[in-house]
Amino acid sequence: MIEWLAETWRNIGVPALEWLVETWFKFGLPALEWLAGNWLKIAVPVLVFIATYVIGLWLRRILSNAFDRWQLRTKWEGSRLVIAAVRRPFLSWFLLLGISIAVQISALPAEAKMITVKAAGSLFVLSLGWTVIVLSERLLRIYLPRIKASRPTIALVISAVRITFIIIGALIVLDIWGIPTTPLLLLIVVVVLGAALVLRNAAPDLFAGFQIGATQQIKEGDYIKLETGEEGYVVEMNWNNTRIKTLGESFTVVPNSRLLQRTVINYGRPLKKAKEPFHFYSRTHITELTGLKARNLQELVDTLKKVPDAVVYYHTHRFLEQHHYLTPEPSNDFAVWISDALGDEILGERLASVDTFQFPDLGALRSRLVGIIEEYLTAHRDTKGATPAETLYFMKSVREAMAGEEFYFMKSVSVILPTTYVVSDLREFVETLRRISLGSLYFHIFESRLRLGKGLNDFSVWIRDTLEETGLAEEIGRLDPYTYTLEGLRLALIQLIEKRIK
Amino acid sequence: MVPLMGQLGVDARWDIIKGNDPFFGVTKKFHNALHGRQEKITARDFELFMVTTRQNIAELELSGDMIFIHDPQPAGLISRKKEIGKKWVWRCHIDLSHPNPEVWDFLQPFVVEYDAAVFSAPAFSRELPIRQFLVSPSIDPLSDKNRELPREMIDTVLAKYGIPDDKPIITQVSRFDYLKDPVGVIQAYELVKRSIDCRLVFAGGTASDDPESDQVLAEVRERAGSNSDIHVLLVPPGSDVDINALQRASTVIVQKSHREGFGLTVTEALWKAKPVVASAVGGIPLQVKNKFTGLCSHGIEGTAYAIRQLLTNPGYAKWLGENGREHIRYNFLITRHIRDYLLLCLALDHEGDVIYL
């Protein structure tokens, strides 16, 4: 072991010691001599550097306390953000300041001094820039929502601020290093002008977006209607346009500037949503001839008893469809034919006064019509012992229509087709009601109730069952549609619903 | 119709049958006989009809999902239904309510082979073992006969025919035909004239295939005599703008026919929002609902009374005229006609009275 140690000492230890002694005489001693002659040149910059750093620490404390007092006095919520953002880089800035001053007063060559100062200056600019960016971003995130700016708008403003400070920082750094910034400035001006030119149409939308957000005139979820016809719920508002879900289940994108330039009706927040949406259908029809005809009352009633329901429906609703613009509308075909072709206005009036609205289905309506005619025929069966007036009734009851004026039995073949209108609340419903065809209105109010045997119109059923608006459903159900023109009926329905949702 | 169908995406095409003069002579006789007129039809006529029909069956290239055959002349083409299949519809434009039995018995076997028949008015139909539909004719509101005209143009037409615009004008537009009762119109006018100063315009043409028309015109002129307030106008064919202007210049429009097809002159008058007095014949009752869209009359006195009512009550006349225009707008314009044809296609493809699409 001892031998191994002696061996190692000879091989490594001795040469190392020799190298140390040699190096000391070669470098250490001259350096010590240099330090003895120049220690002041080093000590002063180091002391200045340390002093600057200490001043920084002290200043940070003073400023922090002053800021705290000011914050307590003003209760400005942004002060905490300012302190958090500045606290850490503040010491770095004094570190950089200390380095700069120390280097300036040191004995380093002028060129090294200049490079060091420029580097420190650049680092300071970058650090300050970054701090300003972080701080402004945090402040914007507090204050932009206060003026109801939308999320996309906030993101856009923050990006703009960030880009602006980065450009300013970059320009200052370039200036520090003596690189000419004029071409770069020119380039930036050209780019900005180009962007302005390209976005000149978007600018009004951007500002309109700010204004709408600030004034809160329109918010996401509102139901709006533009004078140009677009309408629906606002589903999204971004920096340049607003997306509206229209009644036809599609979306319309409206530039923000149009929302300010045009008259917009804002109906406010969505109403209660239905459990199931209402699908509007429309209906049209073609007339089918049965080939059957009646010349007198007996033939009329005999045929009326055996024809299909579609015939009864046709002759009690034809006037309504063909003359829906008339008030008062003529009554059913049977009444009109008996008055005009048979000249029996008394029976005609009796049939005309049958209130179709009171019958839940076509079978009941047919029975009532047949009953009235048969009762009349029975009452005026013969002239035996009859008064002159009764004899006249008898004559009328057996009168035959002139050739060509017979009663022709017809029926309607309905074709029911879906529309694109689907609604989920009363606002959408009433706005759709304004624009559906008369065929659609007719189908849901008349055909669905009587011909399809639902006993109640489709609107009332939906409002009652899926919106649970029983009162409104009953009000609509009570409305006698046979006493209105179709346009008048549309208006009456709209008024009832508008009253409810006001 | 065909261009409008094309715009809707329906590939609609017309085909025309060929025939010689004797064939069309026979079909003219058929036409009159089906309308109820007495015609002498021989076995030779039926034979000629069948020969031409067979030629057309062989030559015509019939195709399509729905084949409409118009009127009796080509009715025999139905023989190709077995070979082609598809849906066949017989579109009848004439009044079949009182046909000559001999001609009807000859045509009926063809007619019942169709999937459906289409008539212009309920009164034109008869009991048939096939489905029958009502498709009324229509007018094109943008055609020369019906479009809006500037006042200057109406004045120009009145000046052209020498009609001063100084008093109410009563007008009937129709062929010079006894069935249109032109003399009855003059008599009704004379009754009105006793109490109300007005003019009568009887405007119409003569039909080349109607030898009676010249005679009727002569009688009308004779009946009018030298009365300068009665204007009997022989309007040449193709004078649609003139007819339009005369109708628009009128205060009341009359259609006092004994028999009538659908009565498109009434449709035209109603479309111009004119108060109409018309006989309840043919397709007129479909258009004139008494006291709602016009007034119906049966005799000369009744016609005169109705005209007086309208001339002395301009508010009532205006209300009737406006109702009449709305009635035509919703029920007798070409758009409704196209819709009916499309619905007919649907009705033949679906069972039942209520079709859900």
Side-chain angles (χ1 to χ4, degrees), chain A residues 315-329:
Chain A
H315 289 294
T316 49
H317 289 76
R318 185 170 70 94
F319 271 107
L320 190 68
E321 288 185 72
Q322 289 195 348
H323 301 270
H324 58 75
Y325 48 87
L326 278 178
T327 309
E329 286 151 8

Side-chain angles (χ1 to χ4, degrees), chain A residues 250-416:
Chain A
S250 54
F251 292 90
T252 298
V253 177
V254 182
N256 287 334
S257 56
R258 274 185 61 196
L259 292 177
L260 284 186
Q261 288 160 1
R262 308 282 177 182
T263 304
V264 179
I265 302 171
N266 188 345
Y267 292 102
R269 312 300 295 175
L271 298 165
K272 182 182 174 185
K273 291 284 173 197
K275 290 177 202 160
E276 295 286 335
F278 185 85
H279 293 259
F280 280 87
Y281 284 80
S282 192
R283 175 261 189 197
T284 183
H285 83 285
I286 184 165
T287 305
E288 187 166 347
L289 302 163
T290 62
L292 300 169
K293 61 182 176 182
R295 277 175 288 273
N296 54 45
L297 273 182
Q298 193 60 56
E299 286 182 8
L300 181 78
V301 77
D302 288 346
T303 313
L304 181 56
K305 280 186 208 168
K306 64 186 182 196
V307 290
D309 277 353
V311 174
V312 180
Y313 179 78
Y314 179 82
H315 289 294
T316 49
H317 289 76
R318 185 170 70 94
F319 271 107
L320 190 68
E321 288 185 72
Q322 289 195 348
H323 301 270
H324 58 75
Y325 48 87
L326 278 178
T327 309
E329 286 151 8
S331 178
N332 60 70
D333 282 349
F334 309 111
V336 174
W337 181 72
I338 287 168
S339 297
D340 289 356
L342 299 184
D344 192 338
E345 292 190 352
I346 292 176
L347 179 59
E349 184 186 289
R350 206 174 289 173
L351 286 169
S353 62
V354 170
D355 185 0
T356 312
F357 185 56
Q358 298 304 322
F359 295 90
D361 57 59
L362 289 166
L365 178 59
R366 183 210 302 259
S367 299
R368 180 75 184 128
L369 294 168
V370 167
I372 289 173
I373 302 172
E374 286 192 326
E375 195 182 300
Y376 186 85
L377 284 171
T378 309
H380 307 105
R381 214 172 13 233
D382 55 47
T383 53
K384 199 185 288 178
T387 63
E390 286 168 342
T391 307
L392 182 65
Y393 286 135
F394 169 76
M395 301 295 286
K396 283 182 177 173
S397 70
V398 293
R399 180 180 287 175
E400 298 236 327
M402 288 165 61
E405 291 191 26
E406 298 92 343
F407 188 91
Y408 295 91
F409 288 89
M410 295 176 255
K411 65 176 183 176
S412 92
V413 177
S414 290
V415 176
I416 296 155

Side-chain angles (χ1 to χ4, degrees), chain A residues 143-156:
Chain A
Y143 288 102
L144 284 179
R146 298 271 172 85
I147 59 165
K148 310 294 180 192
S150 60
R151 265 176 295 171
T153 309
I154 294 171
L156 185 77

Side-chain angles (χ1 to χ4, degrees), chain B residues 289-300:
Chain B
K289 281 293 148 204
N290 194 24
K291 298 177 190 169
F292 286 105
T293 59
L295 297 178
C296 285
S297 66
H298 297 285
I300 291 166

Side-chain angles (χ1 to χ4, degrees), chain B residues 13-235:
Chain B
R13 273 173 262 171
W14 270 107
D15 271 325
I16 301 166
I17 55 165
K18 288 179 189 157
N20 50 21
D21 286 345
F23 171 74
F24 288 117
V26 169
T27 57
K28 175 75 184 168
K29 281 206 273 185
F30 279 17
H31 181 269
N32 290 340
L34 289 171
H35 261 301
R37 289 237 310 243
Q38 283 299 322
E39 289 285 348
K40 195 173 176 231
I41 317 269
T42 63
R44 169 86 189 120
D45 290 337
F46 290 125
E47 177 57 30
L48 188 57
F49 181 89
M50 286 311 299
V51 167
T52 311
T53 297
R54 278 194 288 271
Q55 280 171 1
N56 281 303
I57 287 172
E59 288 172 15
L60 272 179
E61 216 177 284
L62 292 168
S63 63
D65 296 312
M66 190 74 68
I67 297 159
F68 284 82
I69 304 294
H70 287 253
D71 276 339
Q73 293 91 327
L77 294 177
I78 189 65
S79 310
R80 290 196 56 190
K81 186 184 175 190
K82 281 192 192 120
E83 168 209 336
I84 296 172
K86 310 292 182 185
K87 299 284 184 193
W88 290 64
V89 176
W90 187 52
R91 179 47 165 125
C92 178
H93 295 273
I94 58 180
D95 182 352
L96 278 190
S97 55
H98 303 92
N100 173 320
E102 199 183 1
V103 176
W104 177 241
D105 288 347
F106 173 73
L107 281 177
Q108 193 182 17
F110 296 123
V111 171
V112 297
E113 287 298 312
Y114 284 84
D115 293 289
V118 173
F119 292 94
S120 298
F124 295 176
S125 66
R126 54 191 299 107
E127 276 196 75
L128 288 172
I130 57 170
R131 292 178 81 179
Q132 301 178 61
F133 291 90
L134 173 68
V135 176
S136 303
S138 61
I139 56 166
D140 177 357
L142 304 178
S143 67
D144 277 351
K145 218 175 201 180
N146 298 302
R147 67 184 165 90
E148 292 287 336
L149 293 181
R151 184 67 225 181
E152 302 76 53
M153 190 173 283
I154 295 170
D155 292 340
T156 307
V157 172
L158 288 180
K160 173 180 165 186
Y161 289 102
I163 306 167
D165 186 19
D166 54 352
K167 45 183 102 166
I169 297 173
I170 298 153
T171 301
Q172 173 157 317
V173 175
S174 61
R175 278 184 296 113
F176 290 97
D177 184 332
Y178 288 121
L179 292 177
K180 311 296 177 189
D181 197 14
V183 175
V185 174
I186 294 176
Q187 288 171 318
Y189 162 75
E190 285 167 349
L191 289 177
V192 175
K193 177 81 173 171
R194 285 183 194 169
S195 53
I196 303 169
D197 190 18
C198 55
R199 293 184 183 282
L200 174 70
V201 173
F202 197 105
T206 55
S208 57
D209 59 350
D210 185 0
E212 279 180 351
S213 59
D214 290 332
Q215 186 187 333
V216 176
L217 176 60
E219 271 183 45
V220 171
R221 283 192 168 143
E222 188 188 336
R223 187 70 178 77
S226 57
N227 189 337
S228 61
D229 283 345
I230 300 180
H231 304 265
V232 179
L233 311 177
L234 183 60
V235 182

Side-chain angles (χ1 to χ4, degrees), chain A residues 14 29 33 39 72 78-79 108 129 141 191 197 219-220 238 241 275 278 285 292 297 313 325 337 348 432 466 485 497:
Chain A
V14 175
L29 206 58
E33 285 168 358
W39 65 272
L72 281 173
S79 57
L108 286 171
R141 283 197 192 283
V191 168
L197 200 65
K219 302 181 288 294
E220 282 182 14
N238 60 34
N241 59 47
K275 290 177 202 160
F278 185 85
H285 83 285
L292 300 169
L297 273 182
Y313 179 78
Y325 48 87
W337 181 72
T432 306
T466 71
T485 60
I497 299 164

